[in-house]
Amino acid sequence: MLRMSTLFLRTLREDPSDAEVPSHRLLVRGGYIRRAAPGGYTWLPLGWIVYRNVERVVREEMDKAGFQEVHFPALLPREPYEISGRWTDYGDGVFRLKDRKGNDFLLAPTHEEMFTLLVKDLYSSYKDLPLHIYQIQTKYRDEARPRAGLLRTREFVMKDSYSFDIDDAGLEKSYEQHRQAYISTFNRLGLPFVMVSAMSGAMGGSASEEFLAPIDVGEDTFVRCTNCDYAANTEAVQVRAPEAIQLDGLPAARIEDTPDTPTIETLVDVVNARADLRHPDRDWTAADTLKNLVVKLKHPDGTFSALAIGLPGDREVDLKRVEAQVGPAEVVAFEPADFAKNPALVKGYIGPGALGEHNASGIRYLVDPRVVEGTAWITGADQPGRHVINLTMGRDFTPDGVIEAAEIHGGDPCPKCGNALEIAKGIEIGHIFQLGRRYATALGLTVLDQNGKTQVVTMGSYGIGVSRAVAAIAETLLDEKGLCWPREISPADVHIVVTGKPSEPTGPAAEELALALETAGLRVMIDDRIGTSPGIKFNDAELLGVPTIVVVGKGLANGTIEVKDRKTGERTDVPVADAVEHLLQVCRT
RNA sequence: CGGGGUGUAGCGCAGCUUGGUAGCGCGCCACGUUCGGGACGUGGAGGCCCCGGGUUCGAAUCCCGGCACCCCGACCA
């Protein structure tokens, strides 16, 4: 039984000044966590109970799915990460240290290498596969900017699993098993989530999905369809290409002088204002213009290449989307010096005439999927102060390919059903990922198949942010009064508030009830503080967020207690004699 | 890493412009009153004013340099 009179807890009346995000504010105010280090939190008794409840649910669901738990050290030597290339690839993101002999160690940011090596150590036959193993471990990442309390920390707990299969079909099955296990886990945690397609990254076109808790303070932007079940990370959205248009009979392209039109806005104003340039039936808009942007790609080997991107002028380039597609290369700015080296590029008036591997600039030219055959554009004429009108794709220019580079806007059509997409924010609470053979190849994880032939094992990697889930649950369910835990996660089933003078019978009655509830199998927290005013107790109960609040007070004179639902605020007076049965029913349904 | 803000008691803050005994509210301790929505009285305890230099007879306050935290951006298997 949790007794408020002795619990190591101090609730705060006011918001801590360093907490902005609601879950962070309330977890600190409610005495669940305290900041101990930049990006590091201490769990206080109530917080630790909640954390362990989340961990237990995750563990039970993994076990139920047939996955086996192991546990690695967090402190690891450099070598395995050296072999996989991540000792350097991880850059500043990893905490490194040396032992007394000067050998390099790291605090593991993730454990792919170790799992791979462990399986290599023990298994060597296809008969041993498939295998699913997981751990619940503290991870360390040297985040540039920890923020939002538990949502982004430098030390956090993650459940990471790995699947090992002999072939792609096996991997697909393992992936699906994990997918199902994750769905039941998050459902049981009472955590609303959206599954979005994510970029599988540079290591092969395998599937990857993120589980996002849709909360405003989340760091990930995703889209979902207002009509169908489509949802995706903005990086992964595939824009729907319009139908191609017949080229026959389309107006010819013509080059026009358009002085002083350095921006899309000024260009649109000018072509609408001039009688000789007006569209025959309507006003031109920014969407009629083709904006061309040149960037540089920095490749992992340190070399650079130029890339030109063409997209409708009413769209900005979303660098995250570009990087998701050109990865592992990084996108960097095209500088004046680069322009100087390529005289075919006329700054401000770059057009498809100069772009493309076979044109003057020799720069690879990729366009937005909306730029399909037969679409006509107002775009740069590659001469200072001049634009070309009705430059038609497929007739007047042919790009080198397509790229998803444009910003996604709310209201854009869904790639699946065509209805409007909406944009939302979420926090990543899980990620499932068909990893493939990258680590198995790098670390030499092979088994013999039926024919005695060596096969590289294919892997899946699956993560749930356990400590982050605590914050995500808090963030999703809180209200203006405080936290609202789902029952299975809550530090208790019932929070008993005792009011009245110490001389009144409410104290003993509450004690009796608490004992009876505990005997009946419920987890009980009782506010047995003497001399604390009722207002404080009510407010604390609401702040702490136990799903059922029981008040033993005034009603006792009539033989009743009050049962209150934390979330809905609904109150019921219940005869003392029926209290245990009533509460059992409330708590068990 | 860039931009902005803030560091004073456990928490929230004032004091800094114009240098001179470190304050307020909450919380905490003692006694008494109060007891269903953050009660009241009286008396107390609690400080490396972020750190290091400098100016000055004297620095929370002025100057220089760090550090930390928060927000926005960049980054984030």
Side-chain angles (χ1 to χ4, degrees):
Chain A
M1 192 180 309
L2 295 168
R3 291 186 172 279
M4 295 274 283
S5 60
T6 52
L7 191 61
F8 184 48
L9 170 75
R10 185 102 310 148
T11 58
L12 304 178
R13 180 175 297 207
E14 287 165 288
D15 286 332
S17 64
D18 60 353
E20 241 0 78
V21 172
S23 62
H24 183 199
R25 246 172 33 218
L26 292 176
L27 287 168
V28 172
R29 273 191 57 202
Y32 283 83
I33 57 169
R34 300 291 296 176
R35 200 187 80 88
Y41 285 83
T42 306
W43 299 96
L44 301 182
L46 289 182
W48 190 236
I49 294 171
V50 167
Y51 165 77
R52 281 183 303 166
N53 285 340
V54 171
E55 191 189 271
R56 177 176 45 77
V57 167
V58 171
R59 176 175 286 117
E60 285 176 8
E61 290 298 318
M62 294 303 113
D63 291 346
K64 200 165 87 189
F67 312 152
Q68 302 174 63
E69 184 169 5
V70 298
H71 198 79
F72 285 91
L75 176 65
L76 294 169
R78 169 176 177 160
E79 198 183 5
Y81 290 83
E82 183 71 43
I83 298 170
S84 70
R86 291 210 294 184
W87 177 264
T88 38
D89 284 0
Y90 237 107
D92 291 336
V94 63
F95 282 104
R96 299 149 205 272
L97 56 163
K98 285 184 189 296
D99 73 0
R100 62 173 72 204
K101 290 182 275 185
N103 294 323
D104 286 319
F105 280 78
L106 57 73
L107 293 171
T110 170
H111 280 79
E112 276 85 0
E113 287 82 352
M114 301 309 292
F115 272 86
T116 309
L117 288 171
L118 182 67
V119 175
K120 180 186 178 184
D121 191 19
L122 295 175
Y123 275 7
S124 41
S125 161
Y126 76 97
K127 292 180 197 166
D128 297 322
L129 305 181
L131 172 71
H132 297 91
I133 46 181
Y134 76 96
Q135 67 170 344
I136 296 176
Q137 234 297 11
T138 307
K139 308 284 186 189
Y140 297 87
R141 291 185 196 173
D142 188 359
E143 294 287 349
R145 184 156 84 87
R147 59 174 290 273
L150 295 177
L151 284 177
R152 178 162 295 276
T153 53
R154 302 213 280 185
E155 175 181 302
F156 59 97
V157 177
M158 179 155 107
K159 188 288 303 173
D160 49 329
S161 338
Y162 303 85
S163 65
F164 300 85
D165 281 280
I166 184 79
D167 55 22
D168 292 352
L171 170 57
E172 210 139 297
K173 204 171 146 194
S174 295
Y175 179 84
E176 186 55 31
Q177 268 175 275
H178 260 93
R179 198 165 182 271
Q180 291 307 323
Y182 274 35
I183 292 171
S184 13
T185 304
F186 291 123
N187 279 336
R188 202 173 138 195
L189 287 173
L191 184 52
F193 64 93
V194 181
M195 293 168 62
V196 306
S197 341
M199 291 303 293
S200 47
M203 4 175 156
S206 38
S208 167
E209 285 166 288
E210 283 174 10
F211 290 73
L212 301 180
I215 51 183
D216 291 341
V217 295
E219 303 180 299
D220 293 355
T221 308
F222 68 100
V223 299
R224 55 182 160 191
C225 181
T226 49
N227 176 56
C228 73
D229 63 352
Y230 178 82
N233 233 329
T234 47
E235 285 93 328
V237 173
Q238 304 274 318
V239 170
R240 201 185 230 212
E243 293 286 314
I245 299 166
Q246 277 293 325
L247 292 173
D248 300 344
L250 294 178
R254 53 190 229 266
I255 294 177
E256 298 286 351
D257 282 315
T258 51
D260 303 322
T261 54
T263 64
I264 297 287
E265 290 74 32
T266 50
L267 174 62
V268 170
D269 287 347
V270 164
V271 293
N272 278 328
R274 274 173 48 186
D276 58 326
L277 302 181
R278 282 193 56 80
H279 189 283
D281 331 304
R282 60 176 175 90
D283 281 348
W284 296 107
T285 71
D288 295 310
T289 68
L290 181 63
K291 175 158 73 179
N292 295 295
L293 179 88
V294 187
V295 297
K296 271 195 302 187
L297 300 184
K298 184 183 179 190
H299 298 282
D301 60 5
T303 61
F304 289 89
S305 64
L307 173 69
I309 297 168
L311 70 166
D314 60 336
R315 302 271 166 173
E316 294 299 319
V317 168
D318 182 334
L319 283 180
K320 281 191 171 181
R321 299 194 74 212
V322 175
E323 291 205 325
Q325 287 167 87
V326 299
E330 281 175 60
V331 178
V332 295
F334 202 75
E335 287 156 24
D338 299 308
F339 275 103
K341 273 185 247 163
N342 201 326
L345 300 176
V346 182
K347 204 173 176 185
Y349 299 92
I350 301 175
L355 300 171
E357 287 166 341
H358 305 294
N359 287 324
S361 69
I363 294 175
R364 184 170 162 77
Y365 181 45
L366 302 177
V367 296
D368 186 85
R370 294 174 192 81
V371 183
V372 294
E373 188 164 299
T375 51
W377 303 92
I378 301 177
T379 188
D382 302 304
Q383 301 167 29
R386 306 189 85 186
H387 281 88
V388 54
I389 296 181
N390 288 327
L391 192 78
T392 301
M393 153 79 170
R395 180 188 69 188
D396 305 323
F397 71 101
T398 307
D400 298 315
V402 168
I403 187 169
E404 293 283 355
E407 263 182 359
I408 303 294
H409 295 171
D412 281 352
C414 167
K416 212 164 146 185
C417 74
N419 281 280
L421 292 175
E422 64 176 358
I423 293 185
K425 288 281 194 181
I427 184 86
E428 182 181 348
I429 47 173
H431 196 166
I432 54 177
F433 185 18
Q434 293 188 17
L435 205 55
R437 299 187 170 80
R438 172 183 168 174
Y439 291 94
T441 303
L443 298 161
L445 170 59
T446 60
V447 294
L448 293 181
D449 68 12
Q450 297 93 310
N451 307 314
K453 236 183 103 187
T454 298
Q455 297 287 355
V456 177
V457 168
T458 184
M459 296 168 55
S461 133
Y462 317 89
I464 290 179
V466 180
S467 47
R468 176 182 279 181
V470 173
I473 293 167
E475 188 70 38
T476 304
L477 302 173
L478 56 81
D479 62 22
E480 64 291 340
K481 289 175 176 162
L483 299 162
C484 294
W485 298 111
R487 189 166 301 281
E488 187 151 8
I489 300 314
S490 169
D493 287 304
V494 174
H495 182 139
I496 300 178
V497 172
V498 189
T499 67
K501 298 184 198 183
S503 59
E504 290 177 23
T506 48
E511 289 289 341
E512 199 180 317
L513 176 64
L515 202 63
L517 290 173
E518 209 165 57
T519 308
L522 297 181
R523 297 167 301 142
V524 179
M525 174 147 74
I526 181 167
D527 194 343
D528 57 348
R529 289 176 291 180
I530 306 287
T532 301
S533 79
I536 290 178
K537 290 185 174 182
F538 291 137
N539 284 315
D540 274 351
E542 278 150 353
L543 172 63
L544 292 178
V546 171
T548 305
I549 298 168
V550 171
V551 184
V552 180
K554 267 185 171 169
L556 197 64
N558 308 317
T560 63
I561 55 156
E562 182 181 311
V563 176
K564 189 164 138 190
D565 184 89
R566 168 63 185 86
K567 187 75 196 167
T568 64
E570 192 185 329
R571 307 168 179 215
T572 324
D573 287 329
V574 178
V576 176
D578 305 338
V580 172
E581 197 183 334
H582 179 91
L583 285 166
L584 269 176
Q585 196 167 356
V586 167
C587 296
R588 289 286 151 80
T589 49

